[in-house]
């Protein structure tokens, strides 16, 4: 399974791209494949606060709903509105057009709790 | 929870694994939920043709006069006026009017009946039928002798007629025996998808050949239980364990047209009492006003947020473009308030999602009767 090198990862298969104080968050290739065809994404609103490893969204596929957890704490500054009409963007482009939210990071040290691409790749091997 | 080891396997288990299907437990069987993806398999069924392994389903053979053996008294549909080589849908009821199972009965000869029942209820059904049949009847459970393939989709006839030229003459809910790949097999024009389609009952130990042969056609792809569930839900078809159970009556489930009140049958007195005293619940169809899908066991709420019932099945509907569901609601909650078009909510108490009561059929453009 592909893991993008410049990103950090959670055990729940979310990714985060940190650029200065902004973090872009989405779900990984492994997660989108496990979920299957995504039909609905329930996103939070801009201005809300999220906590590290707490639920901020839910993603539904044809058969199931899954909670998505935030890799970092912060204030939501953007949500991907394209997902409302085309939730399949996550299946087709999970690391790019299928991003979910952008936050302003409140505690940069929390990044130490996340996995690097190499660690995540190893983690994926361990979960089979 | 059943362990993987204790789950039964159909004769096509290795085929599914080779096709990289995701396998899930279903009614005591290990079954493919999807191969390529649920939506792709759904679309393939609506637009071309798919092949489903339904070998987990049960088959019984009952021999004897339907009235003298008491078989007529065991099922809700009328048997004695069925033309030969036709089939009829109905139910087995308990004394309380609850549904033991839903089934299709095929009349092979005047006194020869072939029954197709759900895979998860084979033992329960066999016990019930054997107990209620008179000794003059001959009952055989042939579930492990016969596998079953469902070829479904608008192109299914064109494909099947390359093997069975006379298949074109088979009408909806009719069946016959045909030569197929060297076997004489029962093929019926039935299915669970809302599309033109056939169910092929093939010898258990030879069905791999039939599966592989039909999949050589580029118009045919394998489809799993995931797509099957979306397809049947769009048609408003009941799924045992969801819309039907030992504690849900056919009147509540909206299936009274499959119950013949002109004859006597097990459970009829209970149904008549329900008719007289009022049917406690009724099954509704509803459409989410968003892409958010209802899920089985979600509570259902009235417009003023009083709990009125429970979702029995829910999914995203590709045909409608929103979530759709079936649910049982209390009839006491005034009938008039829950007419077609009425606003309701589904979801847990902290997460209400708006929906509108609709017909129990969500898709009407299928090739079913073409």
């Amino acid at each position: 399974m592909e893991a993008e090198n410049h990103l950090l990862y959670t055990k729940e298969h979310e990714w985060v791209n940190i650029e200065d104080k902004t973090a872009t968050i989405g779900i990984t290739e492994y997660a989108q494949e496990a979920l299957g065809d995504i039909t609905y994404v329930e996103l939070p609103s801009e201005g809300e606060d999220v906590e590290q490893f707490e639920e901020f969204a839910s993603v539904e596929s044809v058969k199931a709903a899954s909670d998505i957890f935030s890799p970092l704490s912060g204030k939501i500054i953007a949500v991907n509105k394209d997902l409302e009409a085309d939730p399949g963007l996550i299946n087709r482009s999970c690391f790019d057009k299928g991003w979910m939210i952008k936050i302003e990071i409140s505690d940069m040290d929390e990044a130490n709790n996340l996995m690097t691409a190499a660690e995540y790749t190893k983690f994926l091997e361990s979960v089979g | 929870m059943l362990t993987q080891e204790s789950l039964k396997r159909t004769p096509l288990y290795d085929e599914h694994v080779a096709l990289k299907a995701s396998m899930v437990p279903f009614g005591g069987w290990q079954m493919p939920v999807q191969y390529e993806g649920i939506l792709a398999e759904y679309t393939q069924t609506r637009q071309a043709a798919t092949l489903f392994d339904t070998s987990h389903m049960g088959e019984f053979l009952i021999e004897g006069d339907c009235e003298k053996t008491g078989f007529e008294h065991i099922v809700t549909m009328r048997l004695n006026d069925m033309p030969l080589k036709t089939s009829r849908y109905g139910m087995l009821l308990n004394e309380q009017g609850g549904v033991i199972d839903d089934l299709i009965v095929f009349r092979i000869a005047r006194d020869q009946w072939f029954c197709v029942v759900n895979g998860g209820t084979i033992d329960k059904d066999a016990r019930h039928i054997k107990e209620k049949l008179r000794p003059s009847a001959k009952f055989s459970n042939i579930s492990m002798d016969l596998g079953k393939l469902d070829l479904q989709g608008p192109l299914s006839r064109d494909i099947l007629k390359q093997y069975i030229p006379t298949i074109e003459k088979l009408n909806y809910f009719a069946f016959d025996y045909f030569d197929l790949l060297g076997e004489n097999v029962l093929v019926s024009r039935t299915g669970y998808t809302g599309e033109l389609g056939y169910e092929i009952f093939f010898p258990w130990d030879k069905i791999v050949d039939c599966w592989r042969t039909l999949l050589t056609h580029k118009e045919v792809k394998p489809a799993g239980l995931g797509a099957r569930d979306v397809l049947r839900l769009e048609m408003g078809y009941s799924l045992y364990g969801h819309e039907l159970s030992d504690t849900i009556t056919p009147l509540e489930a909206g299936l009274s047209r499959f119950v013949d009140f002109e004859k006597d049958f097990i459970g009829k007195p209970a149904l008549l009492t329900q008719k007289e005293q009022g049917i406690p619940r009724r099954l509704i169809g509803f459409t989410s006003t968003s892409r958010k899908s209802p899920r089985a066991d979600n509570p259902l709420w009235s417009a003023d947020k009083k709990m009125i019932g429970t979702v029995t099945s829910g999914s995203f509907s590709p045909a409608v473009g929103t979530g759709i569901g079936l649910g049982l609601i209390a009839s006491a909650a005034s009938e008039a308030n829950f007419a077609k078009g009425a606003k309701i909510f589904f979801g847990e108490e902290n997460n209400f999602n708006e929906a509108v009561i609709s017909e129990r059929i969500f898709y009407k453009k299928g090739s079913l009767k073409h």
Side-chain angles (χ1 to χ4, degrees):
Chain A
M1 198 76 65
E2 295 285 310
E4 309 246 324
N5 276 323
H6 61 293
L7 307 177
L8 295 175
Y9 298 87
T10 69
K11 289 187 176 178
E12 302 282 352
H13 309 285
E14 291 92 8
W15 57 260
V16 58
N17 184 22
I18 300 173
E19 291 167 300
D20 297 325
K21 295 212 75 179
T22 303
T24 306
I25 293 164
I27 65 170
T28 67
E29 181 73 17
Y30 177 91
Q32 75 78 15
E33 203 169 299
L35 283 163
D37 299 310
I38 293 170
T39 55
Y40 178 74
V41 184
E42 194 163 6
L43 288 171
S45 308
E46 284 174 23
E48 284 179 30
D49 290 321
V50 292
E51 297 282 325
Q52 187 175 37
F53 302 138
E54 289 201 355
E55 178 203 337
F56 72 91
S58 77
V59 170
E60 291 189 0
S61 61
V62 181
K63 287 318 293 172
S66 300
D67 290 334
I68 310 299
F69 303 90
S70 183
L72 295 170
S73 305
K75 184 187 281 294
I76 298 172
I77 53 172
V79 300
N80 186 354
K81 296 207 167 63
D82 293 344
L83 298 178
E84 280 173 29
D86 187 7
L89 273 176
I90 295 179
N91 294 117
R92 301 196 302 276
S93 176
C94 65
F95 290 118
D96 183 19
K97 294 195 172 75
W99 66 276
M100 297 175 72
I101 57 169
K102 288 182 200 286
I103 63 169
E104 191 181 293
I105 302 166
S106 59
D107 181 359
M108 203 58 90
D109 290 346
E110 287 178 351
N112 297 327
N113 304 330
L114 302 174
M115 288 181 275
T116 64
E119 288 165 342
Y120 180 64
T121 305
K122 240 185 184 159
F123 172 71
L124 286 181
E125 284 163 10
S126 72
V127 296
Chain B
M1 242 351 245
L2 290 165
T3 61
Q4 296 275 303
E5 289 71 34
S6 68
L7 292 170
K8 287 182 271 190
R9 292 177 176 184
T10 76
L12 296 168
Y13 176 84
D14 291 339
E15 301 293 306
H16 303 317
V17 171
L19 288 165
K20 299 196 166 57
S22 331
M23 304 298 287
V24 295
F26 179 80
W29 293 80
Q30 211 166 3
M31 298 297 292
V33 67
Q34 65 169 57
Y35 304 83
E36 186 187 343
I38 293 174
L39 287 185
E41 293 160 30
Y42 164 90
T43 305
Q44 180 75 20
T45 313
R46 290 269 182 255
Q47 294 180 355
T50 51
L51 195 60
F52 296 86
D53 174 17
T54 49
S55 300
H56 63 302
M57 294 187 75
E59 295 88 8
F60 304 146
L61 197 61
I62 294 166
E63 289 168 90
D65 180 280
C66 63
E67 279 161 26
K68 286 179 192 152
T69 57
F71 187 36
E72 184 81 88
H73 197 249
I74 298 174
V75 294
T76 60
M77 68 288 237
R78 179 167 293 270
L79 301 176
N80 68 7
D81 67 351
M82 278 175 65
L84 296 187
K85 294 180 178 170
T86 64
S87 61
R88 223 167 247 181
Y89 175 81
M91 285 149 281
L92 304 171
L93 303 186
N94 57 34
E95 299 288 349
Q96 293 74 41
V99 181
I100 295 170
D101 200 9
D102 58 340
L103 78 169
I104 297 180
V105 175
F106 298 70
R107 191 171 205 173
I108 295 175
R110 187 191 175 277
D111 294 335
Q112 203 172 22
W113 313 89
F114 178 71
C115 310
V116 180
V117 303
N118 281 300
T121 51
I122 295 173
D123 296 341
K124 175 176 87 162
D125 297 350
R127 256 196 324 271
H128 174 76
I129 295 172
K130 275 199 284 194
E131 184 195 308
K132 301 293 179 188
L133 280 175
R134 297 197 189 104
S136 63
K138 187 178 169 214
F139 176 92
S140 329
N141 179 355
I142 52 173
S143 301
M144 299 305 277
D145 301 330
L146 282 181
K148 180 161 88 75
L149 297 178
D150 291 14
L151 180 65
Q152 301 279 305
L155 301 184
S156 57
R157 180 163 45 212
D158 294 339
I159 291 149
L160 204 51
K161 83 175 179 204
Q162 296 173 39
Y163 304 89
I164 308 171
T166 52
I167 202 73
E168 283 187 288
K169 295 191 183 121
L170 206 61
N171 292 323
Y172 186 49
F173 262 77
F175 73 92
D176 210 337
Y177 283 88
F178 300 95
D179 285 322
L180 176 60
L181 304 172
E183 301 292 323
N184 189 248
V185 299
L186 194 161
V187 179
S188 63
R189 199 177 139 189
T190 46
Y192 199 44
T193 62
E195 300 299 335
L196 172 69
Y198 301 88
E199 297 186 62
I200 302 164
F201 298 84
F202 213 85
W204 186 271
D205 53 357
K206 292 179 179 146
I207 198 166
V208 172
D209 293 341
C210 187
W211 169 264
R212 286 184 181 169
T213 302
L214 290 173
L215 285 181
T216 59
H217 293 264
K218 65 178 192 307
E219 303 89 348
V220 185
K221 289 184 176 170
L225 292 182
R228 189 171 165 85
D229 194 47
V230 179
L231 291 157
R232 72 91 194 168
L233 185 56
E234 285 191 339
M235 292 302 292
Y237 294 152
S238 307
L239 174 60
Y240 194 78
H242 289 253
E243 286 71 41
L244 297 174
S245 80
D246 294 295
T247 56
I248 300 171
T249 72
L251 302 179
E252 293 176 305
L255 298 178
S256 43
R257 68 195 174 97
F258 302 106
V259 179
D260 183 359
F261 282 99
E262 304 288 307
K263 69 167 194 176
D264 284 328
F265 55 89
I266 297 166
K268 182 181 175 186
L271 297 189
L272 290 177
T273 305
Q274 259 195 357
K275 274 191 166 184
E276 207 177 285
Q277 299 180 350
I279 300 159
R281 298 170 293 182
R282 66 192 182 96
L283 191 75
I284 55 158
F286 61 95
T287 304
S288 173
T289 55
S290 72
R291 292 179 67 100
K292 172 92 182 169
S293 301
R295 303 292 169 184
D297 301 327
N298 278 166
L300 284 169
W301 310 81
S302 60
D304 57 354
K305 311 225 167 130
K306 294 198 174 68
M307 200 193 282
I308 52 169
T310 310
V311 176
T312 53
S313 293
S315 173
F316 178 75
S317 162
V320 182
T322 68
I324 58 169
L326 295 173
L328 274 176
I329 64 167
S331 304
S334 153
E335 294 279 330
N337 287 340
F338 299 107
K340 210 177 130 189
K343 186 166 99 171
I344 57 167
F345 294 95
F346 64 88
E348 300 304 326
E349 199 154 3
N350 53 3
N351 186 14
F352 290 113
N353 301 281
E354 194 182 283
V356 173
I357 295 186
S358 61
E359 287 180 72
R360 282 203 310 268
I361 175 168
F362 303 93
Y363 181 70
K364 291 179 174 172
K365 289 185 290 189
S367 55
L368 183 64
K369 292 177 183 174
H370 287 191

